Amino acid sequence: MSNALTLLNDEQMIQFITNGYLVLQNDLPEELHRSVMNQIDFVLQNEGNPGNNILPRVPDIQKFFETPVTKGALTSVLGADYYMHPHRHMHFNQPGNGKPGGGEWHKDGFWSSMRSHRPWWVMMFYYTQDITEEMGPTAIMPGSQYNEKFPNQSTLLPTGKAGTIALVHFDLWHKASLNTSHLDRYMLKFQFVRLSEPKSPSWNHTNAEPVFPSNAADAHLNLWNDVWHWLKGEGNKARAAARDDIEVPALIEALSSGDEVVRSQAADKLGIAGKAAAAAVPMLKQLISDSSENAALNAVYALGHIGDSATAALLKEVGEGSRLTAQRAAYGLQASGEEAIPGLVQLLAHQDENKRALAAFVLGMLGSTAASAVPSLIITLNDASEWVRRNAVEALGMIAEPDETVPALVRTLEDAVARESAGKGDISTSAYVHNQEYITNKIAYTAALSLLRIGKYGDADLVINGLESGLQSQDRYTRAYSFEALTAIRTDRAVDVLIKQYRAARWCPDTHKESTF
């Protein structure tokens, strides 16, 4: 097998940014796919679904994710140092099941404390057999990844030969479809996380500027451009000079239209106008509470690209708006960049936990640009709110200033595990944290993830101390992140800790209830 990666091209990256998915084809021997299906079928029939343990139970599955196609696609979207998340699942869709997978459109439970428009996370839906629409492939809703509310748009059923992969933005709306064939349908769902912000394009980038579909009813030109430039490693791209070819007064008037598509498109075009659209700030701010989520999203991202007065309006909305409008404004502040940082730092001291948490979230999304906020975020690690602390912990790992940050993250991880052992776990007051029951120690989990991102740049022995503590957590994902973070350190002591852990945790795929020894 060739070691050369099959990187995505510009057109594929544009499709991923706008539609939230790509359908790819893994060219592997039919015998491998058939063998894996037979192994999976044996497990399902004799032992039940192994959940997260599907990979160690059927190790040949790893071969699907080591090909130039899969590694190239994941590298293109997540960077070369992406991590295969320990949560994975074998989806089994049988004929006659009226509600496969629950039967409802949904977004998967997320792994950060907020969903991200920028692709820090992706999923792969992998089909081990030839898949047709009649067999009930997972239906996806193109372009829905940026919608919190169910958008009820057109849908797609990805099909193809064995080895077909749907690479999807983590927040894309999807559901299992009805299997009207006579065959059982198998699908492997694996998740992957980005470990560092982009520094340069990690795909086969040749075009200077993207060409996005500008006339679509659900277009998000400013949002899409924000993601594109972030993925290129340009962080928060300097705003373009004021443009004279955009009729700002007419667009401001269109913001009051009774047609939500007209309002949405006008907001998008005003953001493209940049500073020349400063007069639109009051009307765009009103649009943040619009009943149309698309119009509201376009308004906040337009404000993020207009300049000083628009950034001030977004910060005020985070500080004074409702829970909904504050969250929308927080996403828009990603596009404001460096000039939003002083106001975000001030919001870290807001009396409302929701406002403090949103400020920490945005600072993390700004990455290294927000390095000046690190001291304030470290102070925030002592916040009374678990959600605020968690956002601060994750932000520190994204900003990546290891000299200041790593010791604080180690202390946080050790303290969270100690509190867990003493039965003093946090009681969340926020739905963002409360609804993630699958993460049982959210602070330890997030501290371990941040150390996975930047622990290798800190004092090795100090970090190992913290990760050894993480290995003792009752939370399975804290243990998994701690284990992986140790592999990046590679000192003799780190290897010794890994070997000790491996001896107790290793899995034999040939040992099961039908063959115990």
Side-chain angles (χ1 to χ4, degrees), residues 64-305:
F64 298 162
F65 299 100
E66 292 177 345
T67 67
V69 169
T70 53
K71 292 180 71 174
L74 291 167
T75 296
S76 296
V77 177
L78 299 178
D81 60 344
Y82 66 85
Y83 170 55
M84 178 188 281
H85 194 266
H87 172 69
R88 62 287 301 250
H89 195 70
M90 216 305 297
H91 287 264
F92 183 46
N93 189 355
Q94 293 179 292
N97 182 354
K99 286 193 172 183
E104 302 295 335
W105 285 100
H106 66 281
K107 297 187 178 201
D108 273 26
F110 48 104
W111 297 98
S112 294
S113 59
M114 282 185 62
R115 298 190 185 276
S116 170
H117 294 168
R118 294 174 174 178
W120 281 90
W121 298 82
V122 300
M123 294 190 288
M124 278 189 165
F125 302 150
Y126 193 101
Y127 293 97
T128 55
Q129 66 205 114
D130 294 355
I131 186 75
T132 65
E133 289 190 2
E134 290 73 24
M135 293 170 66
T138 296
I140 59 178
M141 190 167 287
S144 63
Q145 67 273 23
Y146 305 121
N147 292 102
E148 291 278 342
K149 298 187 295 184
F150 179 61
N152 199 22
Q153 299 169 176
S154 59
T155 62
L156 176 75
L157 296 173
T159 60
K161 293 187 175 296
T164 295
I165 305 165
L167 170 67
V168 301
H169 187 291
F170 192 90
D171 295 328
L172 195 74
W173 286 86
H174 61 281
K175 74 167 186 173
S177 59
L178 290 176
N179 184 350
T180 60
S181 75
H182 63 281
L183 299 172
D184 292 337
R185 187 271 278 168
Y186 299 82
M187 186 271 281
L188 295 162
K189 181 190 74 178
F190 276 63
Q191 302 176 346
F192 302 85
V193 58
R194 168 181 285 278
L195 294 183
S196 56
E197 68 175 343
K199 300 297 183 186
S200 61
S202 54
W203 70 94
N204 184 21
H205 174 53
T206 55
N207 296 336
E209 293 296 332
V211 179
F212 291 119
S214 59
N215 294 320
D218 58 350
H220 299 296
L221 297 177
N222 290 284
L223 193 168
W224 295 339
N225 272 291
D226 177 77
V227 174
W228 172 268
H229 289 295
W230 180 75
L231 283 169
K232 284 182 64 179
E234 296 171 342
N236 305 284
K237 187 176 182 288
R239 297 185 187 87
R243 287 178 50 176
D244 298 327
D245 60 331
I246 295 178
E247 298 181 2
V248 171
L251 291 173
I252 293 175
E253 183 177 351
L255 295 178
S256 300
S257 171
D259 186 328
E260 66 180 58
V261 174
V262 172
R263 298 196 303 275
S264 180
Q265 291 180 336
D268 226 8
K269 292 175 182 177
L270 285 164
I272 298 298
K275 291 183 178 181
V281 169
M283 287 291 293
L284 287 169
K285 188 173 185 295
Q286 290 183 32
L287 211 61
I288 298 176
S289 59
D290 198 272
S291 59
S292 164
E293 187 175 18
N294 285 336
L297 277 175
N298 285 353
V300 296
Y301 274 93
L303 288 165
H305 285 96

Side-chain angles (χ1 to χ4, degrees), residues 273-485:
K275 291 183 178 181
V281 169
M283 287 291 293
L284 287 169
K285 188 173 185 295
Q286 290 183 32
L287 211 61
I288 298 176
S289 59
D290 198 272
S291 59
S292 164
E293 187 175 18
N294 285 336
L297 277 175
N298 285 353
V300 296
Y301 274 93
L303 288 165
H305 285 96
I306 287 176
D308 298 347
S309 61
T311 296
L314 289 170
L315 287 166
K316 184 174 182 181
E317 194 65 35
V318 172
E320 301 177 6
S322 68
R323 189 179 188 88
L324 175 63
T325 61
Q327 178 183 319
R328 288 173 172 176
Y331 285 119
L333 281 169
Q334 295 176 140
S336 293
E338 188 173 4
E339 70 184 35
I341 293 172
L344 291 168
V345 170
Q346 288 182 354
L347 286 170
L348 290 176
H350 199 285
Q351 63 181 3
D352 186 321
E353 80 159 337
N354 180 59
K355 315 302 187 183
R356 301 195 302 276
L358 290 174
F361 163 76
V362 180
L363 288 168
M365 286 296 155
L366 293 179
S368 56
T369 302
S372 62
V374 165
S376 297
L377 286 167
I378 290 176
I379 293 172
T380 304
L381 296 178
N382 297 312
D383 196 278
S385 163
E386 179 189 11
W387 183 32
V388 176
R389 295 200 306 279
R390 184 180 172 193
N391 275 14
V393 170
E394 186 159 17
L396 288 168
M398 292 173 159
I399 294 171
E401 290 287 321
D403 291 345
E404 293 181 82
T405 298
V406 167
L409 291 174
V410 169
R411 290 193 301 270
T412 300
L413 175 56
E414 292 175 337
D415 179 66
V417 175
R419 288 175 58 82
E420 171 188 87
S421 300
K424 297 180 180 180
D426 291 290
I427 299 175
S428 170
T429 59
S430 168
Y432 279 110
V433 183
H434 176 70
N435 290 340
Q436 295 176 315
E437 291 87 354
Y438 43 91
I439 306 172
T440 58
N441 189 332
K442 297 172 180 62
I443 298 297
Y445 159 91
T446 311
L449 174 57
S450 286
L451 285 172
L452 172 57
R453 286 181 165 136
I454 65 172
K456 58 183 174 288
Y457 303 117
D459 177 83
D461 283 329
L462 175 69
V463 176
I464 293 170
N465 289 341
L467 297 175
E468 277 193 295
S469 178
L471 291 173
Q472 304 307 311
S473 174
Q474 297 169 28
D475 179 77
R476 71 188 76 182
Y477 300 109
T478 300
R479 298 195 301 270
Y481 289 157
S482 298
F483 189 95
E484 188 68 20

